[in-house]
Amino acid sequence: MMLKIKNLSFSYKTKKGNNLVFDDLNIDFMPGFNVILGPNGSGKSTMLKSIFGLLSYKGEICFGGNEITKISSDEKAKLISYLPQMDIETSSLTVMEMVLLGRLPELTRRIKKKDLNIVNKTMNSLNISHLATRPFNELSGGQKKIVFIAQTLVREPKIILLDEPVNSLDLQKQLELCSLLRQIIDEKGINIIVVLHDINLACRFAHHIIILDSEGKLYSYGKPKEVVNKKMLEEVYGVVASVSYDENEIPSISAIRSVNRAVGK
Ligand code: ADP
Ligand code: MG
């Protein structure tokens, strides 16, 4: 077990009243590459925010026996890094500076050789070294996204939380990013919890998949082949789909139609 969510309840307070997202949710995250899947509004982003300690929830989220909200912010910066679901457009820093910022908790008064090494290595593995001296605000949306991802990775925390990191990346970069994440997990023992929309990409790379249903309830948690099937796709996503398995039992899906008959009529 890596991270434990115990009796988690959370509501957003809005002008129209409370918007309940989680009601007594329990999950024991296993080490490795965890992917959170679920339809829009099921609470995926809210779950990452809770884990990063940004929300005042009821219940407990524990890492190594410590409640996340009780860990000091300095300690937390070393423990967890978090890439929110976002598209920030403006910054006059260069790409190199943006990525280097990820080492900020580690930077004392001067940039050390070690920091530069980690930054260079990460930029190499994400294929953005050639962009190093370019102003950040001149990059394409996808390139910006990779810079933010690099910033998250150079912190070398114990847990990395990524909210839809591959959106706006082309197919090749999606695969490269997911391979790099697997490599980081294998080489450095870092744990990753990532929200993805692409079920096939999740199946290819995840060790474990968490399925949240539209009510924010845990529908299932397990290996890709254990959780991705026709029944889940129908009950959670409301789609009729075919599912096939490759020689390693990795599922891949092809969505056929919505179960909602009104759609398209
Ligand atoms: P997901 O990331 O799975 O699409 P979210 O975690 O963003 O879902 O949202 C879960 C639910 O909480 C949705 O019903 C959404 O409308 C609501 N919600 C999200 N953020 C806020 C907010 N800041 N204030 C009020 N309601 C919110
Ligand atoms: Mg979200």
Side-chain angles (χ1 to χ4, degrees):
M1 196 243 298
M2 188 259 291
L3 186 88
K4 196 178 179 72
I5 293 184
K6 233 167 100 183
N7 308 118
L8 178 72
S9 296
F10 177 76
S11 309
Y12 287 105
K13 311 249 179 299
T14 69
K15 281 176 194 147
K16 288 180 189 162
N18 283 353
N19 184 357
L20 182 71
V21 183
F22 300 126
D23 187 14
D24 205 17
L25 183 74
N26 290 283
I27 305 178
D28 287 353
F29 285 91
M30 304 295 284
F33 198 135
N34 283 278
V35 174
I36 305 175
L37 291 178
N40 293 334
S42 54
K44 302 179 297 295
S45 295
T46 305
M47 180 171 287
L48 291 195
K49 285 182 211 163
S50 305
I51 295 171
F52 197 56
L54 297 175
L55 304 173
S56 49
Y57 49 76
K58 280 197 196 121
E60 284 179 18
I61 300 179
C62 292
F63 179 77
N66 295 310
E67 224 287 316
I68 294 284
T69 49
K70 303 210 170 86
I71 300 172
S72 73
S73 44
D74 277 6
E75 283 296 307
K76 208 164 69 186
K78 284 184 202 151
L79 188 66
I80 311 177
S81 73
Y82 166 58
L83 180 75
Q85 181 179 353
M86 43 105 216
D87 295 287
I88 294 173
E89 290 296 326
T90 52
S91 171
S92 58
L93 297 176
T94 66
V95 168
M96 178 75 165
E97 289 162 341
M98 293 287 300
V99 180
L100 189 58
L101 277 181
R103 293 291 297 170
L104 208 55
E106 301 297 321
L107 296 178
T108 46
R109 289 166 69 201
R110 292 217 268 139
I111 295 162
K112 297 193 197 88
K113 193 146 182 242
K114 183 178 160 231
D115 295 308
L116 279 177
N117 281 343
I118 296 173
V119 165
N120 282 327
K121 213 176 142 208
T122 306
M123 289 176 59
N124 268 334
S125 22
L126 287 169
N127 286 322
I128 51 169
S129 301
H130 62 290
L131 301 173
T133 57
R134 291 267 303 275
F136 180 72
N137 58 14
E138 286 175 13
L139 301 181
S140 74
Q143 288 172 328
K144 282 179 184 159
K145 190 93 196 196
I146 296 179
V147 174
F148 281 115
I149 290 163
Q151 208 181 69
T152 311
L153 301 185
V154 290
R155 278 183 198 153
E156 302 197 314
K158 298 274 190 299
I159 308 174
I160 293 175
L161 308 173
L162 302 167
D163 200 343
E164 302 196 11
V166 303
N167 292 18
S168 74
L169 298 189
D170 65 41
L171 199 54
Q172 186 190 39
K173 296 205 178 57
Q174 294 189 15
L175 290 168
E176 284 176 359
L177 173 65
C178 288
S179 307
L180 177 67
L181 294 178
R182 273 296 281 253
Q183 197 187 326
I184 288 172
I185 291 166
D186 295 341
E187 286 175 7
K188 300 186 172 154
I190 292 173
N191 297 293
I192 295 186
I193 304 175
V194 49
V195 175
L196 294 178
H197 259 302
D198 185 334
I199 297 173
N200 289 329
L201 193 65
C203 289
R204 179 120 343 252
F205 289 95
H207 294 120
H208 312 284
I209 295 180
I210 295 120
I211 311 270
L212 291 180
D213 71 11
S214 55
E215 320 259 76
K217 292 198 169 60
L218 178 66
Y219 179 86
S220 54
Y221 181 47
K223 296 196 178 89
K225 65 172 178 186
E226 294 163 352
V227 298
V228 173
N229 50 53
K230 282 174 127 168
K231 185 162 176 276
M232 183 284 283
L233 293 163
E234 195 154 335
E235 291 181 355
V236 176
Y237 284 91
V239 296
V240 176
S242 64
V243 181
S244 57
Y245 299 85
D246 75 2
E247 66 279 10
N248 300 315
E249 291 187 273
I250 292 174
S252 73
I253 71 153
S254 172
I256 298 164
R257 61 178 170 82
S258 168
V259 293
N260 183 358
R261 278 159 205 273
V263 172
K265 263 196 176 173

